[in-house]
Amino acid sequence: MPLRISMDWLREYIELPESAADLADRLTLSGTEVERVVTLGSGWDGVVVVRAIEVTDIPGADHIKRAVVEAGDRRAELVSGAPNLRQGDLLAWAQPGTTLPNGMTIAERRFKGVTSQGVLCSPVELGISSEADGLLVLGTDGPTGMPLADLMPPDEVMVIEVTTNRPDLLCHLGIARELSALLRRPLKAPMPAPEESTEPSPLTVEIAEPELCARYQARYLYGARVGPSPAWMQRRLRAVGQKPISNVVDAANYVMFETGQPLHAFDAARLDRGIVVRRARAGEEIACLDGRTRHLAEDDLVIADRSVAVAIAGIIGGADSAVSAETTRLLLESANFNGVSVRNSSRRLALRTEASTRFEKQLSPELTAPAVTRLAELLQQVAGAGPSTAALDVNPGATDAEVIAVAAGYVGTLLGIEVADSEVTDTLEALEFQVRSTAEGGLEVVQPPFRRDVRGAVDLVEEVGRMRGYNTLPSTLPGRRVEVREILPPPDVEWQAREIAAGAGHDEVINSSFCGPADPEVGIFPTPRLALSNPMSRDQAQMRTSLLWGLARTVSRNVAWGNNGVAVFELGHVFWPREGQELPREPRSLGLAVHLAPGRATSDAGTRSALLSLKGLIDVVAEEVSGVVLEHRQDQVPGLHPGRSARVSVGGTEIGCFGELHPDLAHRLDVPGSVVLGEIDFEALAGIPRQIRYHAPSRFPAVVRDLAISVPDLTPARDVVEALSGAGEVILRTVDLFDEYHGTQVDGGRKGLAFRLVFQADDRTLTGEEVASAEERIAGLLRDRFAATMRA
């Protein structure tokens, strides 16, 4: 929830001649975001202080009352449905003609025969806070008829969004500390010195769950008189959105908004012998201060006396031990609770309070002592309490402050600027860190108790940077320059291949690494299989040398189960014997398989399309994994269709193959239709060093031409592409085959090929004559070498 900071309150701790808007900019640039600035007192013209001297019911109107109010020597009759309208209270009256901060213009209105001469205002109508459940009550004592702005001087309120790691900013002293460091002005923090007695506390404190309560401090006070808090305290609490209740409760809330440490006051007379911090018992429940009874879980931490739970730790107090008008003896609680425990209980109970908001961010145990001391002093001032006993302090979680080492020059290296050691020291000391120099030229820094978020040297760099102002830092890379390839891990090539295959619609399978002597050899890796000395069965007596037969059998099983048109891949190890060595090589291999259902398989176009798709998928894997362009050569491959298979190579070395499964093997597997398979030696492919190729793009426009030809049916398209690429045309940049046609539009025994040619020069814009001349030479080359004819 956003934090509201009163400028009137803030100026008690630090001299601030600047406007709230200027300070909001400074805070935001240092990392503390100020959402907006609210001006209290604006729109209060015509709002005066009145006393309700008579309150009566209106016949026939539920919950609506008639009030006669006194404003100096004047009286007025008003109608209100507020539940807290009581005779004798001082209230805020908006007279007819007044326009309130929410934009509402007040006029006389009649209700059930009663004329309401204006409106009695709530805090939300006056723009003070979000309270809309009752009237703004200004106490019971004081003059009437005066403008509300005279009783509550105008104030500016900064609404701040505090990040989770900065609970120290959830209070006025925290913001004052930030401004003190930013503006280099002294901080005037309160130095409480309550009157103390020599008598021991009649109550005891025990922590039964030290892992959930790191510290518990308590002070005992006699002679308190519970009543309204003074006007200055009420004004400040209202400015931050807190509803005044009584001097004791208001003082505890005041110290929380001042120091950031939540506190609680118990009626000591209603406690059974003392305090025990423990977990809730099974089935335990507690009546809370908000009027609701809550059922507790055994994981909830509670504050209990020797009999029952009297508060839910860090969240809300219990009604049975609450301070009332009859209270004279007080037990003040200032404790440190485990943030995770408070957050879990708050979430389970659907109850978030100002206290839980702070505790769940994990406060320091060191904050408890100054806060309870300050509260004791305030209660002696505003509630007439007598001397306080010395604080009962149970501190099982005491630890030494961590020392953070900062190497010489480290701050400047990370910020990317020169930062003098003196600036680092001055900045950190202004933020109340303890700093000392080391013999090596570095620093040793001890965090203040309220800055538990600072745990390492990099956090201290952030403190220096934000105090200097991020907007003042130059736009340069920080410190040492390191090539990206050295700070980013290389991509996992196996997962790259898997993502490509899966993206193309293939499902991954994992087949057995074993095969049998009767299994045929399929693929270009027909090395003798390695026999197992103790096989589980005859069908699993050898180690596979290729993935293709296993993938074909996977397709067969899927088709038998009615899953036609399946597309699968496997990335796994194959086992190649090494001459003279007992253990084989175990390279990784990538295999792909696609089933063509009978209708599609009987079509040449369907088979051709499937083969081209599989070829394209293998090409994409090679390009992404190693950046190479594969070479394809139509050739016979063991286990594949003699006229529909090809070998794949790179740099003259064969690394794979693809094609249609031989019809005899498809019949053996009882697969209707056909199966298209492909495999590459992934180990060899991934081992090729990836070369980064770069060619400066031309500043001149390209000319794109489409070329359609027909060639003899057995002419490999690859040969035509190679011929075009090596045609000697320096202005021909790229050649792409985008269509292959077999049909009635070409003569029998021939096929159509369509290419996209891109012409471009680095030093000039090409003319139409240059491109036309190049096209004529290319056409002549194709006619001479491939007996090609041009197609329209």
Side-chain angles (χ1 to χ4, degrees), residues 350-650:
L351 177 61
R352 200 155 190 255
T353 61
E354 291 286 354
S356 68
T357 298
R358 288 159 175 78
F359 278 125
E360 67 185 19
K361 294 175 174 58
Q362 200 53 65
L363 304 178
S364 167
E366 299 301 313
L367 302 180
T368 59
V372 75
T373 304
R374 172 69 164 153
L375 178 56
E377 180 185 63
L378 269 182
L379 288 173
Q380 289 171 356
Q381 295 174 9
V382 303
S388 163
T389 62
L392 290 170
D393 187 4
V394 183
N395 190 14
T399 56
D400 294 331
E402 182 178 354
V403 177
I404 303 171
V406 184
Y410 179 75
V411 174
T413 298
L414 261 66
L415 290 179
I417 58 174
E418 292 293 331
V419 182
D421 291 343
S422 58
E423 179 183 348
V424 175
T425 300
D426 290 346
T427 299
L428 295 178
E429 288 181 341
L431 289 166
E432 300 190 26
F433 290 84
Q434 297 177 28
V435 185
R436 57 179 178 266
S437 300
T438 65
E440 295 79 17
L443 300 174
E444 289 184 345
V445 183
V446 180
Q447 62 182 192
F450 49 82
R451 288 304 306 275
R452 302 188 73 181
D453 60 301
V454 177
R455 299 184 179 181
V458 68
D459 297 326
L460 297 173
V461 175
E462 181 179 3
E463 294 301 300
V464 175
R466 69 184 189 84
M467 285 293 110
R468 175 185 274 249
Y470 292 132
N471 57 314
T472 67
L473 298 179
S475 299
T476 61
L477 291 173
R480 298 175 293 273
R481 272 65 171 175
V482 182
E483 291 186 34
V484 170
R485 70 178 67 183
E486 295 184 14
I487 62 175
L488 292 178
D492 186 320
V493 291
E494 288 194 16
W495 280 108
Q496 278 186 295
R498 285 187 171 95
E499 288 177 354
I500 293 168
H506 290 246
D507 295 314
E508 184 173 10
V509 298
I510 300 176
N511 287 319
S512 173
S513 298
F514 305 131
C515 60
D519 291 340
E521 292 180 345
V522 181
I524 66 168
F525 311 121
T527 54
R529 298 181 186 136
L530 188 71
L532 297 177
S533 59
N534 186 25
M536 292 183 289
S537 67
R538 179 173 175 77
D539 293 339
Q540 296 181 330
Q542 297 176 337
M543 303 297 292
R544 66 186 180 185
T545 58
S546 168
L547 304 178
L548 294 184
W549 182 245
L551 288 171
R553 294 178 65 177
T554 298
V555 170
S556 173
R557 285 192 295 271
N558 275 270
V559 172
W561 297 332
N563 187 15
N564 287 298
V566 65
V568 295
F569 78 95
E570 181 176 7
L571 182 55
H573 290 278
V574 290
F575 303 86
W576 297 345
R578 289 186 286 193
E579 187 176 353
Q581 296 190 35
E582 182 179 1
L583 297 178
R585 282 187 58 206
E586 300 182 23
R588 292 167 297 172
S589 187
L590 175 64
L592 303 138
V594 178
H595 174 240
L596 302 177
R600 186 181 174 199
T602 55
S603 165
D604 286 343
T607 303
R608 186 180 301 111
S609 175
L611 286 169
L612 290 175
S613 296
L614 196 70
K615 167 188 172 294
L617 180 54
I618 293 173
D619 287 342
V620 171
V621 171
E623 172 64 27
E624 291 298 319
V625 168
S626 61
V628 299
V629 176
L630 298 178
E631 303 159 6
H632 311 91
R633 177 173 56 87
Q634 185 173 353
D635 197 358
Q636 286 192 354
V637 175
L640 299 184
H641 193 296
R644 295 178 179 176
S645 58
R647 296 174 182 261
V648 179
S649 60
V650 58

Side-chain angles (χ1 to χ4, degrees), residues 24-278:
D25 289 340
R26 293 295 300 270
L27 286 169
T28 299
L29 290 174
S30 70
T32 303
E33 181 186 357
V34 181
E35 291 184 349
R36 63 187 185 278
V37 176
V38 178
T39 301
L40 300 184
S42 175
W44 288 4
D45 295 338
V47 181
V48 299
V49 178
V50 298
R51 186 190 309 279
I53 59 174
E54 182 182 337
V55 177
T56 57
D57 294 332
I58 298 177
D62 292 338
H63 310 301
I64 306 298
K65 297 182 182 296
R66 166 184 171 273
V68 177
V69 299
E70 175 187 74
D73 56 358
R74 293 184 297 158
R75 291 194 174 187
E77 187 177 54
L78 297 152
V79 172
S80 175
N84 63 336
L85 175 59
R86 292 185 298 269
Q87 185 173 317
D89 283 347
L90 294 177
L91 307 169
W93 170 38
Q95 303 172 78
T98 301
T99 300
L100 295 175
N102 63 3
M104 180 174 66
T105 299
I106 305 303
E108 285 192 1
R109 298 181 183 277
R110 287 189 62 80
F111 186 85
K112 295 288 186 180
V114 178
T115 300
S116 184
Q117 298 171 284
V119 169
L120 293 173
C121 300
S122 67
V124 70
E125 290 167 335
L126 294 170
I128 294 175
S129 71
S130 59
E131 293 177 36
D133 58 347
L135 301 176
L136 173 65
V137 179
L138 302 169
T140 57
D141 298 327
T144 63
M146 63 188 301
L148 178 63
D150 290 349
L151 180 65
M152 298 180 61
D155 191 7
E156 290 180 301
V157 173
M158 291 188 292
V159 182
I160 301 176
E161 188 64 43
V162 178
T163 55
T164 304
N165 66 316
R166 293 298 305 275
D168 62 295
L169 297 180
L170 290 170
C171 61
H172 285 72
L173 271 176
I175 299 298
R177 275 192 298 261
E178 285 286 294
L179 291 172
S180 173
L182 282 169
L183 305 174
R184 292 298 197 269
R185 292 179 193 158
L187 180 69
K188 299 176 288 186
M191 302 294 291
E195 184 181 355
E196 292 189 353
S197 70
T198 58
E199 296 183 15
S201 171
L203 301 177
T204 60
V205 172
E206 175 190 344
I207 298 179
E209 297 289 342
E211 71 278 10
L212 301 183
C213 180
R215 192 173 190 179
Y216 195 102
Q217 285 206 333
R219 281 181 178 265
Y220 192 92
L221 283 81
Y222 297 89
R225 295 186 297 275
V226 178
S229 55
W232 63 268
M233 182 176 285
Q234 292 192 32
R235 182 174 69 249
R236 288 184 173 179
L237 289 176
R238 287 196 180 96
V240 299
Q242 193 71 17
K243 181 179 179 179
I245 298 173
S246 70
N247 50 5
V248 174
V249 176
D250 293 352
N253 287 332
Y254 185 92
V255 176
M256 177 180 68
F257 284 105
E258 179 180 70
T259 68
Q261 170 68 40
L263 303 109
H264 186 67
F266 295 101
D267 185 335
R270 303 168 76 176
L271 297 176
D272 182 8
R273 291 170 287 168
I275 291 294
V276 180
V277 184
R278 59 169 173 81

